[in-house]
Amino acid sequence: METSLDIQAIRKDFPILQRQVNGQPLVYLDNAATSQTPDQVVNTIVDYYHGYNANIHRGVHTLSQEATDAYEIARQKIQKHFNIAHSYEVIFTSGTTHGINLVATGFTSFLKKGDEIVVSAMEHHSNIVPWQMLCERTGAVLKVIPMNQEGELVMDAYHDLLSDKTKLVFCNHVSNALGTVNPIEEIIEAAHKVGAAVLIDGAQAAAHIKADLQALDVDFYTVSAHKMCGPTGVGMLYGKQEWLKKLPPYQGGGEMIAEVTFEKTTYADLPHKFEAGTPNICGGIAFGAALDYMNNIGFDAIAHYEDGLMQYATEQLLSIEGLRIYGTAKNKTSVISFNIEGIHPYDIGTILDKLGIAVRTGHHCAQPIMDFYKIPGTVRASFSFYNTKEEVDVLVAGVKRAKNMLV
Amino acid sequence: MASIKDIQEEIIDEFSMFDDWMQRYEYMIELGKSLPLIDDQYKTDDNLIKGCQSKVWVHAELEDDKLVFTADSDAIITKGIIAILIRAFSNQKPQDIIDADTEFIDEIGLKEHLSPTRANGLVSMIKQLKLYAVAYQTQLK
């Protein structure tokens, strides 16, 4: 197993890492919000617009055929990457939020008053709000899997929540605010025992963990390309074919129909039933290129390297007096959320930005987690395989400097 | 009583002594720490300006024909900028507050804090100061 990376060679693929911010070399540690895009992916986008930009699935002309082929090859790359049984179980979306909304809307007719849906306490708002809206439409009740101080789900409580009333369970694979890797194998297996379907939000996991969706036996899994070296505005929703056949279409339009008369429309087969309108063709193709890029480096090597970086950053940050890390799960990846006693995270983020260091501050679209810890937010440093130990040192020195200024 | 313009010039003068951002920010943090706190009874949800990240409370009161502002924030840099704004706008006639511009913020090198897309509530805060002025101006008439 290859686990060593040539980071300097990798960094050359990302010209943005060479730029300066506020007169300082950029240290980009906001990878959990969006990852940077390597030349290989950017070139794919340029090649598309220079060479074969055309609408897909409908033209008889050569460009349309080339674009259609490239788009469908990208779908197959996604299928292979996530070990999905059939390529038509891969639905191109605009991103994770779109995928979640597609499923939440589709379940409206399957739920009735008194049914229960279970969500984890550490979800992103995009994996809370669509389900709350679903509850409002159907009278179903939302139940929450609690978490402990370390930021791990309390699995005994989860098992107690499950009953024959449970129809749906949804949880993120990795928490964007805390970095916790959730025990989704156990979550999926237990939900299936009571006949509930499971949706896993893989947005935060996808850049670090290569999920085998057939082995997981998950019903739905959704990711965004921009968190794994791809462009924004494109993602994928995986659904088991029996679910995708049952779910009604999400949007009406071109591409998703088989036959239209003013009396009746019959819908197209999978996956087109869920892909109304002209999709983000170039984005889909570039998503495939991003998967190629990451797989070329290798997910084992990436995980090994990022774990080392996170351990090092954790040790170094904890040497700062008054610094507390939120999210200390035994199984976590690539995210360090922290505060310094008596200092607002916004102030630290502002000073770090002046030093060229990009971190996220605030509630990370996960207000329930901040309420749990009774804090307004955190400073979040999130790592990618192109970050270095030297950048961690710059971060730690920056946090120390901010602390000196602000205390 | 100095006019808003005079005070703004004074602030620009003070900031012109600093060579780099560090000194400017250190000064701002000092100003933030010395900001007279808003009376706790006015730190209500009604007086809260919701920025995305730091909270800002503003209270306004008319004293004779002048408007007096008090404010607070949970973030110290935000508080420093509030202190600068309050110094320029508090204890002034409502009409003068309505007519005043905020370009001096650019000139003291804090432009980035006034971008409408920056999630710190400061643009909303200036708007709020002006709204108070409009409301009290109507009352004075």
Side-chain angles (χ1 to χ4, degrees):
Chain A
M1 188 172 72
E2 181 57 46
T3 54
S4 66
L5 299 181
D6 183 352
I7 301 303
Q8 289 317 318
I10 286 172
R11 286 178 72 85
K12 290 206 176 84
D13 295 333
F14 296 84
I16 201 171
L17 298 177
Q18 304 307 319
R19 72 163 278 185
Q20 299 220 323
V21 169
N22 291 318
Q24 306 284 335
L26 167 69
V27 174
Y28 186 76
L29 297 175
D30 194 19
N31 295 286
T34 200
S35 55
Q36 295 304 341
T37 320
D39 274 343
Q40 289 80 342
V41 174
V42 175
N43 291 341
T44 302
I45 294 168
V46 172
D47 289 347
Y48 171 80
Y49 283 110
H50 282 178
Y52 58 102
N53 175 28
N55 213 329
I56 53 168
H57 293 141
R58 54 196 78 163
V60 292
H61 61 81
T62 302
L63 291 192
S64 174
Q65 197 51 53
E66 287 176 8
T68 305
D69 288 347
Y71 194 63
E72 290 308 319
I73 286 170
R75 196 191 303 275
Q76 287 161 15
K77 285 177 183 172
I78 296 168
Q79 176 199 357
K80 188 167 165 239
H81 176 83
F82 291 101
N83 191 26
I84 291 167
H86 309 287
S87 67
Y88 54 77
E89 292 173 317
V90 175
I91 311 295
F92 276 114
T93 62
S94 67
T96 302
T97 300
H98 177 193
I100 293 169
N101 277 282
L102 189 157
V103 177
T105 306
F107 261 79
T108 306
S109 55
F110 301 160
L111 295 184
K112 57 180 192 306
K113 200 165 185 275
D115 282 346
E116 292 179 356
I117 54 186
V118 174
V119 62
S120 96
M122 61 177 84
E123 293 310 303
H124 190 280
H125 294 162
S126 65
N127 207 17
I128 300 175
V129 181
W131 307 110
Q132 283 173 332
M133 290 161 67
L134 176 63
C135 287
E136 278 168 23
R137 288 195 297 273
T138 59
V141 183
L142 197 65
K143 300 274 180 179
V144 181
I145 315 166
M147 65 177 206
N148 62 22
Q149 282 295 321
E150 285 71 42
E152 295 166 320
L153 294 177
V154 181
M155 292 304 285
D156 288 347
Y158 168 62
H159 289 287
D160 289 344
L161 281 177
L162 294 173
S163 73
D164 56 1
K165 287 185 193 163
T166 314
K167 295 292 180 273
L168 259 169
V169 174
F170 36 93
C171 177
N172 50 34
H173 193 165
V174 170
S175 156
N176 73 305
L178 304 173
T180 309
V181 181
N182 285 312
I184 59 168
E185 298 83 356
E186 184 181 342
I187 287 170
I188 295 163
E189 199 186 337
H192 285 168
K193 278 190 183 144
V194 297
V198 182
L199 178 143
I200 299 295
D201 167 355
Q204 206 55 58
H208 314 288
I209 300 167
K210 189 169 177 168
D212 180 335
L213 300 188
Q214 284 189 82
L216 282 170
D217 195 28
V218 66
D219 301 283
F220 301 99
Y221 193 92
T222 177
V223 303
S224 300
H226 74 91
K227 293 201 199 272
M228 45 192 318
C229 297
T232 55
V234 65
M236 79 102 190
L237 168 71
Y238 159 77
K240 275 186 189 164
Q241 66 165 322
E242 51 267 40
W243 278 115
L244 293 180
K245 281 181 177 157
K246 254 192 276 182
L247 283 179
Y250 179 52
Q251 290 178 319
E255 186 88 11
M256 53 77 74
I257 43 84
E259 243 180 297
V260 178
T261 66
F262 280 107
E263 287 70 39
K264 184 168 171 56
T265 293
T266 48
Y267 301 125
D269 289 336
L270 293 174
H272 308 295
K273 174 180 156 187
F274 295 105
E275 295 182 350
T278 297
N280 185 348
I281 302 163
C282 175
I285 296 167
F287 186 4
L291 290 178
D292 286 344
Y293 180 80
M294 293 193 73
N295 279 309
N296 258 335
I297 296 172
F299 275 74
D300 288 332
I302 287 173
H304 179 79
Y305 178 77
E306 288 175 345
D307 281 350
L309 209 55
M310 189 182 66
Q311 296 302 338
Y312 178 68
T314 303
E315 283 160 24
Q316 296 300 310
L317 284 169
L318 284 176
S319 72
I320 300 172
E321 209 187 310
L323 187 143
R324 175 177 170 188
I325 291 177
Y326 296 89
T328 50
K330 279 184 279 301
N331 194 3
K332 69 177 279 193
T333 179
S334 296
V335 167
I336 302 179
S337 237
F338 65 91
N339 273 333
I340 295 178
E341 207 182 339
I343 305 179
H344 197 283
Y346 177 80
D347 289 325
I348 298 175
T350 303
I351 302 291
L352 291 181
D353 175 57
K354 282 284 172 193
L355 297 167
I357 305 163
V359 293
R360 174 95 184 261
T361 63
H363 54 57
H364 317 301
C365 295
Q367 275 176 352
I369 297 180
M370 304 304 138
D371 291 345
F372 175 82
Y373 288 116
K374 299 189 174 60
I375 50 176
T378 67
V379 181
R380 182 188 69 183
S382 51
F383 305 96
S384 180
F385 55 87
Y386 44 69
N387 290 125
T388 63
K389 269 190 167 181
E390 291 70 30
E391 288 181 308
V392 170
D393 293 338
V394 173
L395 168 72
V396 173
V399 172
K400 283 180 181 163
R401 194 159 169 192
K403 185 187 161 191
N404 287 339
M405 286 178 76
L406 292 161
V407 165
Chain B
M1 184 66 213
S3 73
I4 295 180
K5 196 80 206 157
D6 292 342
I7 299 170
Q8 290 184 351
E9 292 296 338
E10 211 177 278
I11 296 171
I12 293 168
D13 270 359
E14 280 169 28
F15 272 81
S16 69
M17 296 184 304
F18 304 128
D19 301 327
D20 62 9
W21 72 269
M22 271 281 277
Q23 294 176 345
R24 282 203 301 274
Y25 273 68
E26 273 164 358
Y27 184 58
M28 221 155 54
I29 291 161
E30 282 317 304
L31 291 175
K33 286 177 184 164
S34 61
L35 176 71
L37 285 184
I38 189 171
D39 198 307
D40 263 349
Q41 61 169 316
Y42 300 125
K43 240 168 129 172
T44 59
D45 277 356
D46 282 350
N47 283 337
L48 181 65
I49 299 170
K50 283 188 180 150
C52 187
Q53 299 202 7
S54 53
K55 291 178 176 173
V56 176
W57 295 267
V58 185
H59 174 68
E61 226 165 295
L62 200 60
E63 281 178 17
D64 300 324
D65 60 345
K66 287 181 178 144
L67 204 50
V68 175
F69 293 113
T70 46
D72 196 5
S73 171
D74 54 354
I76 194 78
I77 294 173
T78 309
K79 238 168 123 168
I81 298 170
I82 293 171
I84 294 168
L85 286 175
I86 287 201
R87 189 163 139 206
F89 291 110
S90 190
N91 220 357
Q92 299 287 344
K93 289 182 178 159
Q95 189 60 51
D96 294 342
I97 297 169
I98 295 167
D99 295 339
D101 64 43
T102 52
E103 273 165 23
F104 77 111
I105 295 285
D106 285 15
E107 289 186 46
I108 59 176
L110 299 178
K111 189 181 177 185
E112 73 240 34
H113 291 277
L114 288 183
S115 151
T117 53
R118 195 170 172 106
N120 61 8
L122 278 168
V123 172
S124 319
M125 174 168 171
I126 292 173
K127 224 181 262 169
Q128 192 60 43
L129 298 183
K130 296 229 174 198
L131 277 176
Y132 273 126
V134 170
Y136 280 103
Q137 177 67 14
T138 320
Q139 199 177 313
L140 278 175
K141 281 179 181 164

